Amino acid sequence: HVTACFLLVGGPAVAMGVLGVVLRKYFHRFVTLKGFISLCHQYGAGMCLLAMLAELWSGMEPMHLFYALDFHAYIVFNFMAAAMFAVYWGALLINAVIASGKPKVTVAFVQLMIVSAIGSEFYYAVFHRAMTERPPHMNLPTYAAYFVAFVAVAALLKLSTPKKLAEPKSL
């Protein structure tokens, strides 16, 4: 079951890494800080979407099912998720600190606050409860709110990143 944890958390990240290696000429987009943050936004939205679909399909909240089936693997999963979130949050903090120009600084801090709210809520609903051996308190509306928040911060990042202007062609 611990292997399932590693696959659940790390599987999509490894798959994206392998895809990046295969598509080397496009991989440079993910090497930048904003590329990494964008990837994290998409990963968060994807995980929330998968959790919503799993709950709709099975009729049971996936984190609660995971808790009920294998508590040890559930704890490992929570620590792995917390570590991944800490790296993600750190990248957002660095982006907010180094952002230049009022619109970019504002967008960076709004992203940081939204993701901080998601992390705090997840901590109280899942991680803290797991450490006190209580079941998670998650549901479909919570996953939907997370999904909308991740999509919103991804859109903010995309809107705040200026497109490169094409060089004028000489005659």
Side-chain angles (χ1 to χ4, degrees):
H1 295 294
V2 173
T3 304
C5 259
F6 281 101
L7 291 175
L8 181 63
V9 174
V14 170
M16 292 179 113
V18 169
L19 185 61
V21 170
V22 171
L23 302 171
R24 286 184 190 132
K25 72 179 190 176
Y26 301 106
F27 187 67
H28 70 276
R29 292 185 204 167
F30 301 116
V31 176
T32 66
L33 179 63
K34 286 191 178 189
F36 175 73
I37 291 170
S38 176
L39 186 66
C40 290
H41 292 335
Q42 294 167 20
Y43 181 82
M47 291 301 287
C48 292
L49 183 62
L50 285 174
M52 287 189 300
L53 293 173
E55 186 170 342
L56 289 171
W57 179 69
S58 70
M60 187 170 192
E61 195 277 314
M63 294 295 282
H64 192 80
L65 181 62
F66 197 14
Y67 167 84
L69 292 177
D70 189 348
F71 184 72
H72 177 70
Y74 176 70
I75 294 296
V76 171
F77 169 81
N78 272 285
F79 275 106
M80 290 175 60
M84 287 179 64
F85 185 82
V87 171
Y88 172 39
W89 191 85
L92 284 169
L93 181 61
I94 291 168
N95 186 48
V97 169
I98 66 171
S100 61
K102 189 171 180 160
K104 287 183 182 178
V105 171
T106 303
V107 167
F109 275 104
V110 167
Q111 286 182 85
L112 182 62
M113 292 302 109
I114 291 171
V115 171
S116 295
I118 293 170
S120 297
E121 204 284 328
F122 187 83
Y123 172 80
Y124 289 115
V126 178
F127 188 81
H128 176 69
R129 294 176 67 86
M131 298 308 119
T132 57
E133 297 184 15
R134 293 183 296 164
H137 184 68
M138 295 290 285
N139 54 31
L140 193 61
T142 305
Y143 284 123
Y146 286 1
F147 177 76
V148 168
F150 279 122
V151 168
V153 292
L156 277 173
L157 183 65
K158 184 135 178 101
L159 291 173
S160 73
T161 306
K163 293 183 181 181
K164 293 182 180 179
L165 298 174
E167 294 290 323
K169 294 181 181 180
S170 59
L171 298 173

